[in-house]
Coordinates of all heavy atoms in Angstrom, one line a residue:
L93 N 19.2 -6.4 -1.8 CA 19.4 -7.5 -0.9 C 20.0 -8.7 -1.6 O 19.7 -8.9 -2.8 CB 18.2 -7.8 0.0 CG 17.7 -6.8 0.8 CD1 16.4 -7.2 1.6 CD2 18.7 -6.3 1.9
P94 N 20.7 -9.6 -0.9 CA 21.3 -10.7 -1.7 C 20.4 -11.8 -2.1 O 20.9 -12.7 -2.9 CB 22.3 -11.3 -0.6 CG 21.8 -10.8 0.7 CD 21.2 -9.5 0.4
D95 N 19.1 -11.8 -1.7 CA 18.2 -12.8 -2.1 C 16.9 -12.1 -2.2 O 16.3 -11.5 -1.3 CB 18.1 -13.9 -1.0 CG 17.2 -15.0 -1.3 OD1 16.2 -14.9 -2.2 OD2 17.3 -16.1 -0.8
P96 N 16.2 -12.2 -3.4 CA 15.0 -11.5 -3.6 C 13.8 -11.9 -2.7 O 12.9 -11.2 -2.5 CB 14.6 -11.8 -5.1 CG 15.4 -13.0 -5.5 CD 16.7 -12.9 -4.6
Q97 N 14.0 -13.1 -2.1 CA 12.9 -13.7 -1.3 C 13.0 -13.0 0.2 O 12.1 -13.1 1.0 CB 13.0 -15.1 -1.0 CG 12.7 -15.9 -2.3 CD 12.8 -17.4 -2.2 OE1 13.2 -17.9 -1.1 NE2 12.4 -18.1 -3.2
L98 N 14.1 -12.2 0.4 CA 14.3 -11.6 1.7 C 13.3 -10.5 2.0 O 12.9 -10.2 3.1 CB 15.7 -11.0 1.8 CG 16.8 -12.0 2.0 CD1 18.1 -11.3 1.9 CD2 16.7 -12.8 3.3
Y99 N 12.7 -9.9 0.9 CA 11.8 -8.7 1.2 C 10.5 -9.3 1.8 O 10.0 -8.6 2.8 CB 11.5 -8.1 -0.2 CG 12.7 -7.5 -0.9 CD1 13.3 -8.2 -2.0 CD2 13.4 -6.4 -0.4 CE1 14.4 -7.7 -2.6 CE2 14.5 -5.9 -1.0 CZ 15.1 -6.6 -2.1 OH 16.2 -6.1 -2.7
T100 N 10.0 -10.3 1.3 CA 8.8 -10.9 2.0 C 9.2 -11.5 3.3 O 8.3 -11.3 4.3 CB 8.3 -12.0 1.1 OG1 7.8 -11.5 -0.2 CG2 7.0 -12.7 1.8
A101 N 10.3 -12.1 3.5 CA 10.7 -12.7 4.8 C 10.9 -11.6 5.9 O 10.5 -11.8 7.0 CB 12.0 -13.5 4.6
L102 N 11.4 -10.4 5.5 CA 11.6 -9.4 6.4 C 10.2 -8.8 6.9 O 10.0 -8.6 8.0 CB 12.4 -8.2 5.8 CG 13.9 -8.5 5.6 CD1 14.5 -7.4 4.7 CD2 14.6 -8.5 7.0
Y103 N 9.3 -8.6 5.9 CA 8.0 -8.2 6.3 C 7.3 -9.1 7.3 O 6.8 -8.8 8.3 CB 7.1 -7.9 5.1 CG 5.8 -7.3 5.5 CD1 5.6 -5.9 5.7 CD2 4.7 -8.1 5.7 CE1 4.5 -5.3 6.1 CE2 3.5 -7.5 6.1 CZ 3.4 -6.1 6.3 OH 2.2 -5.6 6.8
D104 N 7.4 -10.4 7.0 CA 6.8 -11.4 7.7 C 7.4 -11.5 9.2 O 6.7 -11.7 10.2 CB 6.9 -12.8 7.1 CG 6.0 -12.9 5.8 OD1 5.1 -12.1 5.7 OD2 6.2 -13.9 5.1
R105 N 8.7 -11.3 9.2 CA 9.4 -11.3 10.5 C 8.9 -10.3 11.5 O 8.7 -10.6 12.7 CB 10.9 -11.1 10.3 CG 11.7 -10.7 11.6 CD 11.9 -11.8 12.5 NE 12.5 -11.4 13.8 CZ 12.9 -12.2 14.8 NH1 12.6 -13.5 14.7 NH2 13.4 -11.7 15.9
H106 N 8.5 -9.1 11.0 CA 8.2 -8.0 12.0 C 6.8 -8.3 12.6 O 6.5 -7.7 13.6 CB 8.2 -6.6 11.3 CG 6.8 -6.2 10.9 ND1 6.2 -6.5 9.7 CD2 6.0 -5.3 11.5 CE1 5.0 -5.9 9.6 NE2 4.8 -5.2 10.7
M107 N 6.0 -9.2 12.1 CA 4.7 -9.5 12.7 C 4.8 -10.6 13.7 O 3.8 -11.0 14.3 CB 3.8 -10.0 11.6 CG 3.5 -8.9 10.6 SD 2.1 -9.4 9.3 CE 3.1 -10.5 8.3
T108 N 6.0 -11.2 14.0 CA 6.2 -12.3 14.9 C 6.4 -11.7 16.3 O 7.0 -10.7 16.5 CB 7.4 -13.2 14.5 OG1 8.6 -12.4 14.7 CG2 7.2 -13.7 13.1
P109 N 5.9 -12.4 17.4 CA 6.1 -11.9 18.8 C 7.6 -11.7 19.1 O 7.9 -10.9 19.9 CB 5.5 -13.1 19.5 CG 4.4 -13.6 18.7 CD 5.1 -13.6 17.3
A110 N 8.5 -12.6 18.5 CA 9.9 -12.4 18.8 C 10.5 -11.1 18.4 O 11.5 -10.7 18.9 CB 10.7 -13.5 18.1
A111 N 9.8 -10.4 17.4 CA 10.3 -9.1 17.0 C 10.0 -8.0 17.9 O 10.4 -6.9 17.7 CB 9.8 -8.9 15.6
W112 N 9.1 -8.2 18.9 CA 8.7 -7.1 19.8 C 9.0 -7.4 21.2 O 8.9 -8.6 21.7 CB 7.1 -7.1 19.6 CG 6.7 -6.6 18.3 CD1 6.5 -7.4 17.2 CD2 6.6 -5.2 17.9 NE1 6.2 -6.6 16.1 CE2 6.3 -5.3 16.4 CE3 6.7 -4.0 18.5 CZ2 6.0 -4.1 15.7 CZ3 6.5 -2.8 17.7 CH2 6.2 -2.9 16.4
H113 N 9.3 -6.3 21.9 CA 9.7 -6.4 23.3 C 8.8 -5.4 24.1 O 8.8 -4.2 23.8 CB 11.2 -6.0 23.5 CG 12.1 -6.8 22.6 ND1 12.3 -8.2 22.8 CD2 12.7 -6.5 21.5 CE1 13.1 -8.6 21.9 NE2 13.4 -7.6 21.1
P114 N 8.1 -5.9 25.1 CA 7.3 -5.0 25.9 C 8.2 -4.0 26.8 O 9.4 -4.4 27.1 CB 6.6 -5.9 26.9 CG 6.6 -7.2 26.3 CD 7.9 -7.3 25.6
Y115 N 7.8 -2.8 26.9 CA 8.5 -1.9 27.8 C 8.4 -2.6 29.3 O 7.4 -3.2 29.6 CB 7.9 -0.5 27.8 CG 8.4 0.3 26.6 CD1 7.6 0.3 25.4 CD2 9.6 0.9 26.6 CE1 8.0 1.0 24.3 CE2 10.1 1.6 25.5 CZ 9.3 1.7 24.4 OH 9.7 2.3 23.2
P116 N 9.5 -2.4 30.1 CA 9.6 -3.1 31.4 C 8.4 -2.9 32.3 O 8.0 -3.8 33.0 CB 10.8 -2.5 32.0 CG 11.7 -2.1 30.8 CD 10.7 -1.6 29.8
D117 N 7.8 -1.7 32.2 CA 6.7 -1.4 33.1 C 5.3 -1.6 32.6 O 4.3 -1.5 33.2 CB 6.8 0.1 33.6 CG 6.8 1.1 32.5 OD1 7.1 0.7 31.4 OD2 6.5 2.2 32.8
A118 N 5.2 -2.1 31.3 CA 4.0 -2.3 30.6 C 3.1 -3.3 31.4 O 1.9 -3.1 31.7 CB 4.2 -2.7 29.2
P119 N 3.6 -4.5 31.8 CA 2.8 -5.4 32.5 C 2.2 -4.9 33.8 O 1.0 -5.0 34.2 CB 3.7 -6.6 32.8 CG 4.7 -6.5 31.7 CD 5.0 -5.1 31.5
A120 N 3.0 -4.2 34.6 CA 2.6 -3.6 35.9 C 1.6 -2.5 35.7 O 0.6 -2.5 36.4 CB 3.8 -3.1 36.7
V121 N 1.7 -1.7 34.7 CA 0.8 -0.6 34.5 C -0.6 -1.2 34.0 O -1.6 -0.8 34.5 CB 1.3 0.4 33.5 CG1 0.3 1.4 33.0 CG2 2.5 1.2 34.1
L122 N -0.5 -2.1 33.1 CA -1.8 -2.7 32.6 C -2.5 -3.5 33.8 O -3.7 -3.4 33.9 CB -1.5 -3.7 31.4 CG -1.0 -3.0 30.2 CD1 -0.7 -4.1 29.1 CD2 -2.1 -2.1 29.6
A123 N -1.7 -4.2 34.6 CA -2.3 -4.9 35.7 C -2.8 -3.9 36.8 O -3.9 -4.1 37.3 CB -1.2 -5.8 36.4
G124 N -2.2 -2.8 36.9 CA -2.7 -1.8 37.8 C -4.0 -1.2 37.4 O -4.8 -0.9 38.2
L125 N -4.1 -0.9 36.1 CA -5.4 -0.4 35.6 C -6.5 -1.5 35.7 O -7.6 -1.1 36.1 CB -5.2 -0.1 34.1 CG -4.3 1.1 33.8 CD1 -4.1 1.2 32.3 CD2 -4.9 2.4 34.4
R126 N -6.2 -2.7 35.6 CA -7.2 -3.8 35.7 C -7.6 -3.9 37.3 O -8.8 -3.9 37.5 CB -6.6 -5.1 35.3 CG -7.4 -6.4 35.5 CD -8.8 -6.2 34.8 NE -8.6 -6.0 33.4 CZ -8.6 -6.9 32.5 NH1 -8.7 -8.2 32.8 NH2 -8.5 -6.7 31.2
E127 N -6.7 -3.7 38.2 CA -7.0 -3.7 39.6 C -7.9 -2.5 40.0 O -8.8 -2.6 40.9 CB -5.7 -3.6 40.4 CG -4.9 -4.9 40.3 CD -3.5 -4.7 40.9 OE1 -3.2 -3.6 41.4 OE2 -2.8 -5.7 40.9
R128 N -7.8 -1.4 39.2 CA -8.5 -0.2 39.5 C -9.9 -0.2 38.8 O -10.6 0.7 38.9 CB -7.7 1.1 39.1 CG -6.6 1.4 40.0 CD -5.6 2.3 39.3 NE -4.5 2.8 40.2 CZ -3.5 2.1 40.6 NH1 -3.3 0.9 40.1 NH2 -2.6 2.7 41.4
G129 N -10.2 -1.3 38.0 CA -11.4 -1.3 37.3 C -11.5 -0.4 36.1 O -12.5 -0.1 35.6
V130 N -10.3 0.0 35.6 CA -10.2 0.9 34.4 C -10.1 0.0 33.2 O -9.3 -0.9 33.1 CB -9.0 1.8 34.5 CG1 -8.9 2.6 33.2 CG2 -9.1 2.7 35.7
K131 N -11.0 0.3 32.2 CA -11.0 -0.5 30.9 C -9.8 -0.1 30.0 O -9.4 1.1 30.0 CB -12.3 -0.3 30.1 CG -13.5 -0.8 30.8 CD -13.5 -2.3 30.9 CE -14.8 -2.9 31.5 NZ -14.8 -4.4 31.5
V132 N -9.2 -1.0 29.3 CA -8.0 -0.8 28.5 C -8.3 -1.2 27.0 O -8.8 -2.3 26.8 CB -6.8 -1.5 29.0 CG1 -5.7 -1.5 28.0 CG2 -6.4 -0.9 30.4
A133 N -8.0 -0.3 26.1 CA -8.0 -0.7 24.7 C -6.6 -0.3 24.0 O -6.0 0.7 24.4 CB -9.1 0.0 24.0
V134 N -6.2 -1.1 23.1 CA -5.0 -0.8 22.3 C -5.5 -0.2 20.9 O -6.3 -0.8 20.2 CB -4.2 -2.0 22.0 CG1 -3.0 -1.7 21.1 CG2 -3.6 -2.5 23.3
V135 N -5.1 1.0 20.6 CA -5.5 1.7 19.4 C -4.3 1.9 18.5 O -3.4 2.7 18.9 CB -6.2 3.1 19.8 CG1 -6.8 3.7 18.5 CG2 -7.3 2.9 20.8
S136 N -4.2 1.2 17.4 CA -3.0 1.2 16.7 C -3.2 1.5 15.2 O -4.1 0.9 14.6 CB -2.2 -0.1 16.9 OG -1.1 -0.2 16.1
N137 N -2.3 2.3 14.6 CA -2.2 2.4 13.2 C -1.3 1.2 12.7 O -0.1 1.2 13.0 CB -1.5 3.7 12.8 CG -2.5 4.8 12.7 OD1 -3.7 4.7 12.9 ND2 -2.0 6.1 12.5
I138 N -1.9 0.2 12.1 CA -1.2 -1.0 11.8 C -1.9 -1.7 10.7 O -3.1 -1.5 10.4 CB -1.2 -1.9 13.1 CG1 -0.1 -3.0 13.0 CG2 -2.5 -2.5 13.4 CD1 0.2 -3.6 14.4
G139 N -1.2 -2.7 10.1 CA -1.8 -3.4 8.9 C -1.9 -4.9 9.2 O -2.0 -5.7 8.2
W140 N -1.7 -5.4 10.4 CA -1.8 -6.8 10.7 C -2.3 -7.0 12.2 O -2.4 -6.0 12.9 CB -0.4 -7.4 10.6 CG 0.7 -6.7 11.2 CD1 1.4 -5.6 10.8 CD2 1.2 -6.9 12.6 NE1 2.3 -5.1 11.7 CE2 2.2 -6.0 12.8 CE3 1.0 -7.9 13.5 CZ2 3.0 -6.0 14.0 CZ3 1.7 -7.9 14.7 CH2 2.7 -6.9 14.9
D141 N -2.7 -8.2 12.5 CA -3.2 -8.5 13.7 C -2.2 -8.7 14.8 O -1.4 -9.6 14.9 CB -4.1 -9.8 13.6 CG -4.9 -10.1 14.9 OD1 -4.8 -9.3 15.9 OD2 -5.6 -11.1 15.0
L142 N -2.2 -7.7 15.8 CA -1.2 -7.7 16.8 C -1.6 -8.6 18.0 O -0.8 -8.7 19.0 CB -0.8 -6.3 17.2 CG -1.9 -5.3 17.6 CD1 -2.5 -5.7 18.9 CD2 -1.4 -3.9 17.7
R143 N -2.8 -9.1 18.0 CA -3.2 -9.8 19.2 C -2.3 -11.0 19.6 O -2.0 -11.3 20.7 CB -4.7 -10.4 19.0 CG -5.7 -9.3 18.8 CD -7.0 -9.8 18.4 NE -8.1 -8.7 18.2 CZ -8.3 -8.0 17.1 NH1 -7.5 -8.3 16.0 NH2 -9.2 -7.1 17.1
P144 N -1.8 -11.8 18.6 CA -0.8 -12.9 19.0 C 0.4 -12.3 19.7 O 1.0 -13.1 20.5 CB -0.5 -13.5 17.6 CG -1.7 -13.2 16.8 CD -2.1 -11.8 17.2
V145 N 0.9 -11.2 19.3 CA 2.0 -10.6 20.0 C 1.7 -10.4 21.5 O 2.5 -10.7 22.4 CB 2.5 -9.2 19.4 CG1 3.6 -8.6 20.2 CG2 2.9 -9.5 18.0
F146 N 0.5 -9.8 21.8 CA 0.1 -9.6 23.2 C -0.1 -10.9 23.9 O 0.3 -11.0 25.1 CB -1.2 -8.8 23.2 CG -0.9 -7.3 23.1 CD1 -0.5 -6.8 21.9 CD2 -1.0 -6.5 24.2 CE1 -0.3 -5.4 21.8 CE2 -0.7 -5.1 24.1 CZ -0.4 -4.5 22.9
R147 N -0.7 -11.9 23.2 CA -0.8 -13.2 23.9 C 0.5 -13.8 24.2 O 0.7 -14.4 25.3 CB -1.6 -14.2 23.0 CG -3.1 -13.8 22.9 CD -3.9 -14.9 22.4 NE -3.6 -15.2 20.9 CZ -4.3 -14.6 19.9 NH1 -5.3 -13.8 20.2 NH2 -3.9 -14.8 18.7
A148 N 1.5 -13.8 23.3 CA 2.8 -14.4 23.5 C 3.6 -13.7 24.7 O 4.3 -14.4 25.3 CB 3.6 -14.3 22.2
H149 N 3.3 -12.5 24.9 CA 4.0 -11.8 26.0 C 3.2 -11.7 27.2 O 3.6 -10.9 28.2 CB 4.4 -10.3 25.5 CG 5.5 -10.4 24.4 ND1 6.8 -10.7 24.8 CD2 5.5 -10.1 23.1 CE1 7.6 -10.6 23.7 NE2 6.8 -10.3 22.7
G150 N 2.1 -12.4 27.3 CA 1.3 -12.4 28.5 C 0.6 -11.1 28.8 O 0.2 -10.9 30.0
L151 N 0.3 -10.3 27.8 CA -0.5 -9.1 28.0 C -1.9 -9.1 27.6 O -2.7 -8.2 28.0 CB 0.3 -8.0 27.3 CG 1.7 -7.8 27.7 CD1 2.4 -6.7 26.9 CD2 1.9 -7.4 29.2
D152 N -2.3 -10.1 26.8 CA -3.6 -10.1 26.2 C -4.7 -10.1 27.3 O -5.8 -9.5 27.1 CB -3.8 -11.3 25.3 CG -5.2 -11.3 24.7 OD1 -5.5 -10.5 23.9 OD2 -5.9 -12.3 24.9
G153 N -4.5 -10.8 28.4 CA -5.5 -10.8 29.4 C -5.7 -9.5 30.2 O -6.7 -9.4 31.0
L154 N -4.9 -8.5 29.9 CA -5.0 -7.2 30.5 C -5.5 -6.2 29.6 O -5.6 -5.0 29.9 CB -3.6 -6.8 31.1 CG -2.9 -7.7 32.1 CD1 -1.5 -7.3 32.3 CD2 -3.8 -7.8 33.4
V155 N -5.9 -6.6 28.4 CA -6.5 -5.7 27.4 C -7.9 -6.1 27.1 O -8.2 -7.2 26.9 CB -5.7 -5.7 26.1 CG1 -6.3 -4.9 25.0 CG2 -4.2 -5.3 26.3
D156 N -8.8 -5.1 27.2 CA -10.3 -5.4 27.0 C -10.7 -5.3 25.5 O -11.6 -6.0 25.1 CB -11.1 -4.3 27.7 CG -10.8 -4.5 29.2 OD1 -11.2 -5.5 29.8 OD2 -10.2 -3.5 29.8
A157 N -9.9 -4.5 24.7 CA -10.4 -4.3 23.3 C -9.1 -3.9 22.4 O -8.2 -3.3 23.0 CB -11.5 -3.3 23.1
Y158 N -9.2 -4.3 21.2 CA -8.2 -3.8 20.2 C -8.9 -3.1 19.1 O -9.9 -3.7 18.5 CB -7.4 -5.1 19.6 CG -6.6 -5.8 20.6 CD1 -7.2 -6.9 21.3 CD2 -5.3 -5.5 20.9 CE1 -6.5 -7.6 22.2 CE2 -4.6 -6.2 21.8 CZ -5.2 -7.3 22.5 OH -4.4 -8.0 23.4
V159 N -8.5 -1.9 18.8 CA -9.0 -1.1 17.7 C -7.9 -0.8 16.8 O -7.1 0.1 17.0 CB -9.7 0.2 18.3 CG1 -10.3 1.0 17.1 CG2 -10.7 -0.2 19.3

Side-chain angles (χ1 to χ4, degrees):
L93 297 176
D95 182 341
Q97 295 183 350
L98 288 173
Y99 302 105
T100 296
L102 283 169
Y103 185 85
D104 291 344
R105 163 71 187 183
H106 101 275
M107 296 186 289
T108 64
W112 293 90
H113 307 288
Y115 281 96
D117 57 342
V121 169
L122 293 175
L125 293 173
R126 177 58 56 92
E127 292 169 0
R128 289 162 172 78
V130 175
K131 296 293 185 179
V132 169
V134 174
V135 186
S136 179
N137 278 352
I138 197 166
W140 50 277
D141 186 4
L142 51 71
R143 294 172 182 86
V145 173
F146 278 74
R147 286 196 292 270
H149 289 289
L151 301 176
D152 182 62
L154 300 173
V155 176
D156 297 292
Y158 296 90
V159 180

